Amino acid sequence: MSDEFCDCNITHKERIEAVRSKLPQEEILYDLAELFKVFGDTTRIKIISALLETELCVCDIAELLHMSPSSISHQLRVLRQARLVKPRKEGKVVFYSLDDDHIKHLFDQGLEHILEPRGSYHVSA
Amino acid sequence: MSDEFCDCNITHKERIEAVRSKLPQEEILYDLAELFKVFGDTTRIKIISALLETELCVCDIAELLHMSPSSISHQLRVLRQARLVKPRKEGKVVFYSLDDDHIKHLFDQGLEHILEPRGSYHVSA
DNA sequence: TGAACATATGAATAATTGCTCATATATTAG
DNA sequence: CTAATATATGAGCAATTATTCATATGTTCA
């Protein structure tokens, strides 16, 4: 066969096709990876974690994380574009808060994985 | 004050300290970002999505995703180190499966965010 | 209007990362 | 043991990205 990407002889064609038919659309998986990528940065996770408590302005967050307002603003833009936070303008000040509560669920679900006791495979060996 | 990281005058000290006292430990947040980072790649999300259906060997996955066994093996190592997948050896063949079911919850929670209708802020404007 | 300030953004740079290629390890068959 | 095969891994390269610095935008107050 010419349409092989792996020179192995042992691939289970039926199993592969069964899985392929059940996979979400390419675009969905791409967007999903993009979403997780946004969570996958220490600065942004800290911002999200802080906004889980209360809304904060850009300078509050900068002060909280000991970082420059500029870098925070850059990261808030990423979070905005991912629909994770929303701004509320009050004069010169912009307050940010979380955009919906899926975010808390995602965050907590991640925490559970982090904090759970190690499985047997990883303990031994 | 000398310990300011933001030259703004408007930061709410009390609010910042209140949030700071409630933030998870630095290390927890770091690990959490690392976990999400693992989900934040298209190839790895596809692997996870496939393993949600059934266990697969390295070559199955390579064939499924039209990628080289080498690149899949590299990514499986990342997934292993994050305790997201576990190997099962059968002769020369190594079958991978998901390590626990937090993973499905995380995956589904992410999907919900992706698929939900856009909020009002993002729709208008 | 103009100065001060909070935030946003573009460009540049340093660090990270995913893939490829070459090679190593491990298992099975002969 | 040797050849063949499935997987793992190290080095190198190209692409992505988080931060900094300079500058722009927008709001308030005199």
Side-chain angles (χ1 to χ4, degrees), chain B residues 7-19:
Chain B
D7 52 3
C8 308
N9 308 318
I10 50 86
T11 56
H12 311 81
K13 298 297 180 193
E14 295 141 30
R15 191 184 301 193
I16 293 173
E17 287 315 312
V19 171

Side-chain angles (χ1 to χ4, degrees), chain A residues 6 11 14-15 19 23 34 39 42 61 77 105 110 120 125:
Chain A
C6 179
T11 56
E14 294 143 30
R15 190 184 303 193
V19 172
L23 281 187
E34 287 301 304
F39 277 81
T42 310
I61 300 172
R77 183 159 60 93
H105 292 140
S120 54

Side-chain angles (χ1 to χ4, degrees), chain B residues 62-99:
Chain B
E63 185 70 22
L64 176 66
L65 304 188
H66 300 335
M67 293 178 68
S68 71
S70 175
S71 64
I72 298 301
S73 184
H74 275 293
Q75 296 295 17
L76 284 169
R77 183 158 60 95
V78 175
L79 291 166
R80 249 186 287 125
Q81 288 171 342
R83 302 187 301 119
L84 297 182
V85 303
K86 58 173 185 285
R88 179 178 70 80
K89 206 163 186 181
E90 199 170 283
K92 282 179 292 191
V93 180
V94 179
F95 289 94
Y96 280 89
S97 59
L98 297 182
D99 199 11

Side-chain angles (χ1 to χ4, degrees), chain A residues 5-97:
Chain A
F5 294 83
C6 179
D7 51 3
C8 308
N9 308 319
I10 49 86
T11 56
H12 312 81
K13 299 296 180 194
E14 294 143 30
R15 190 184 303 193
I16 292 173
E17 287 315 313
V19 172
R20 199 194 305 278
S21 71
K22 287 195 171 188
L23 281 187
Q25 291 172 26
E26 179 88 14
E27 190 196 343
I28 299 285
L29 292 173
Y30 179 83
D31 290 345
L32 193 51
E34 287 301 304
L35 172 66
F36 284 121
K37 201 175 291 182
V38 174
F39 277 81
D41 173 82
T42 310
T43 300
R44 288 191 296 261
I45 270 288
K46 285 177 184 171
I47 294 175
I48 291 169
S49 182
L51 295 181
L52 281 170
E53 298 300 328
T54 181
E55 73 169 6
L56 292 166
C57 71
V58 177
C59 280
D60 284 343
I61 300 172
E63 185 69 23
L64 175 66
L65 302 188
H66 300 337
M67 292 177 68
S68 71
S70 176
S71 64
I72 298 301
S73 184
H74 275 295
Q75 295 296 14
L76 284 169
R77 183 159 60 93
V78 175
L79 290 166
R80 249 186 289 125
Q81 288 171 344
R83 300 186 303 120
L84 297 182
V85 303
K86 58 171 183 290
R88 177 177 71 80
K89 207 165 185 181
E90 197 170 285
K92 283 180 293 192
V93 181
V94 179
F95 290 93
Y96 280 89
S97 58

Side-chain angles (χ1 to χ4, degrees), chain A residues 6 8 26 59 99-100 116 122, chain B residues 6 8 59 99-100 116 122:
Chain A
C6 179
C8 308
E26 179 88 14
C59 280
D99 200 12
D100 69 43
E116 86 173 342
H122 300 278
Chain B
C6 177
C8 308
C59 280
D99 199 11
D100 69 44
E116 86 172 343
H122 300 280

Side-chain angles (χ1 to χ4, degrees), chain B residues 47-71:
Chain B
I47 294 175
I48 291 169
S49 183
L51 295 182
L52 281 169
E53 297 300 330
T54 181
E55 72 170 10
L56 292 166
C57 71
V58 176
C59 280
D60 284 343
I61 299 172
E63 185 70 22
L64 176 66
L65 304 188
H66 300 335
M67 293 178 68
S68 71
S70 175
S71 64

